[in-house]
């Protein structure tokens, strides 16, 4: 993961979402703010027009089938890749992390999505909560190796100062620290009875919300590949890799005020995900 980020501050690696430390950094990575283009409005308008034309054509088609009036299985979208399975989320937690996932591919996908949320949360900046999260989502041997490294990363004073947090990881008075991951989708890339590789595509929010904030909340997009193992009766992370994107084209929407952003973060809770 290459160094540098346009806002001038770095984030530590949370275990799934890219965060960065001052060089040299054993964790690496940082969210990037999408570059705005003067032609974005035109692109947005053209995109909307194209979508409307496609929607009208689809609606007018009704129940008619393409071609010779027959349909094949290959003509239909794959429900597994576009729709929820209908499986209910787990209702058990260890600390604040959902646990107890089924020993299935769907269970592995659900675990990966929920673990991404936990590892990207603001609680990772609190030592006690971080230890619980790491012990919960990683295999025992990996958790033991990561605890000391993460403690060193998250207690780095230069890093904390760069993102505007106090030495204990708390936000300045009158500001709210935002660190959230919102999964968009998951897919299995390899599967064995006790080992499954899952990709999680997600967007993340990171920054300080408040009138005096010099690091406003920004949005980034990533895909993290989790290698999961079945251990202690649940799916656990054995390893992971992260890459940027896919990143959608941003719209010319007016950024919310600091007050609105703070209220949204405080009032809107998260979810327990199920594939």
């Amino acid at each position: 993961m290459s160094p540098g980020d346009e806002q001038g501050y770095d984030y530590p690696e949370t275990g799934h979402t890219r965060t960065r430390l001052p060089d040299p950094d054993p964790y690496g990575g940082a969210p990037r703010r999408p570059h705005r283009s003067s032609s974005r409005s035109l692109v947005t308008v053209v995109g909307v027009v194209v979508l409307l034309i496609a929607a009208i054509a689809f609606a007018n088609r009704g129940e008619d089938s393409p071609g010779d009036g027959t349909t094949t299985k290959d003509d239909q979208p794959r429900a597994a890749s576009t729709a929820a399975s209908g499986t209910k989320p787990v209702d058990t937690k260890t600390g604040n992390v959902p646990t107890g996932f089924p020993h299935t591919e769907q269970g592995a996908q659900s675990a990966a999505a929920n673990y991404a949320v936990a590892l990207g949360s603001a609680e990772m900046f609190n030592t006690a909560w971080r230890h619980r999260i790491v012990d919960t989502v990683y295999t025992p041997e990996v958790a033991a190796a990561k605890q000391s490294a993460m403690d060193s990363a998250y207690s780095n004073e230069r890093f904390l100062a760069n993102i505007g947090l106090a030495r204990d990881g708390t936000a300045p008075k009158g500001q709210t620290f935002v660190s959230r991951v919102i999964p968009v989708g998951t897919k299995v890339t390899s599967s064995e009875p006790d080992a499954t590789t899952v990709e999680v595509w997600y967007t993340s929010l990171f920054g300080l919300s408040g009138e005096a904030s010099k690091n406003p909340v920004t949005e980034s997009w990533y895909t993290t590949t989790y290698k999961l193992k079945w251990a202690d009766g649940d799916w656990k992370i054995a390893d992971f890799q992260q890459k940027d994107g896919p990143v959608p084209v941003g719209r010319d929407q007016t950024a919310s005020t600091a007050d609105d952003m703070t209220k949204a973060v405080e009032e809107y809770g998260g979810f327990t995900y199920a594939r």
Side-chain angles (χ1 to χ4, degrees):
M1 300 179 185
S2 59
D5 92 75
E6 86 179 61
Q7 298 191 62
Y9 56 92
D10 301 319
Y11 309 83
E13 180 65 73
T14 61
H16 78 283
T17 202
R18 186 174 302 173
T19 51
R20 235 187 239 182
L21 282 174
D23 294 334
D25 176 13
Y27 297 89
R32 299 190 186 110
R33 183 182 301 172
H35 296 287
R36 291 190 176 274
S37 168
S38 59
S39 62
R40 180 179 293 175
S41 295
L42 177 59
V43 171
T44 301
V45 171
V46 172
V48 170
V49 171
V50 171
L51 289 174
L52 286 174
I53 293 175
I56 293 172
F58 183 85
N60 288 337
R61 187 184 68 176
E63 298 299 324
D64 294 337
S65 301
D68 61 359
T70 62
T71 61
T72 66
K73 185 176 181 180
D74 291 339
D75 291 330
Q76 306 302 317
R78 295 179 58 195
S81 63
T82 59
S85 65
T87 300
K88 294 182 179 180
V90 295
D91 57 6
T92 55
K93 288 187 177 184
T94 300
N96 61 347
V97 182
T99 53
F101 297 95
H103 193 183
T104 62
E105 285 190 6
Q106 289 181 351
Q109 292 182 72
S110 300
N114 286 284
Y115 293 169
V117 172
L119 288 166
S121 66
E123 283 77 12
M124 287 291 291
F125 288 77
N126 176 282
T127 302
W129 275 113
R130 180 172 64 252
H131 287 181
R132 295 176 192 173
I133 292 171
V134 171
D135 284 338
T136 298
V137 306
Y138 285 101
T139 61
E141 59 274 17
V142 174
K146 280 191 171 291
Q147 287 290 15
S148 60
M150 285 193 174
D151 285 345
S152 177
Y154 281 94
S155 63
N156 185 288
E157 292 185 20
R158 181 184 171 191
F159 159 68
L160 293 171
N162 283 345
I163 61 176
L165 299 181
R167 295 177 61 181
D168 62 355
T170 58
K173 184 177 181 180
Q175 298 184 37
T176 300
F177 177 50
V178 181
S179 183
R180 283 198 183 188
V181 159
I182 306 95
V184 177
T186 62
K187 72 173 181 179
V188 172
T189 56
S190 68
S191 180
E192 298 177 10
D194 294 329
T196 302
T197 301
V198 179
E199 291 187 359
V200 181
W201 178 37
Y202 60 90
T203 181
S204 67
L205 304 178
F206 192 94
L208 284 171
S209 176
E211 294 295 342
S213 173
K214 296 180 180 179
N215 301 321
V217 179
T218 57
E219 177 188 32
S220 303
W221 290 82
Y222 301 105
T223 297
T224 294
T225 301
Y226 291 104
K227 292 184 178 179
L228 302 175
K229 289 186 178 180
W230 186 255
D232 298 331
D234 209 347
W235 290 109
K236 303 286 185 178
I237 301 172
D239 195 9
F240 71 93
Q241 291 182 330
Q242 181 186 288
K243 64 181 180 180
D244 289 348
V247 182
V249 176
R251 295 182 59 188
D252 286 328
Q253 292 180 289
T254 302
S256 298
T257 64
D259 185 53
D260 286 343
M261 182 61 68
T262 299
K263 287 182 178 178
V265 171
E266 293 175 346
E267 295 175 0
Y268 291 91
F271 299 96
T272 298
Y273 292 86
R275 179 65 182 90

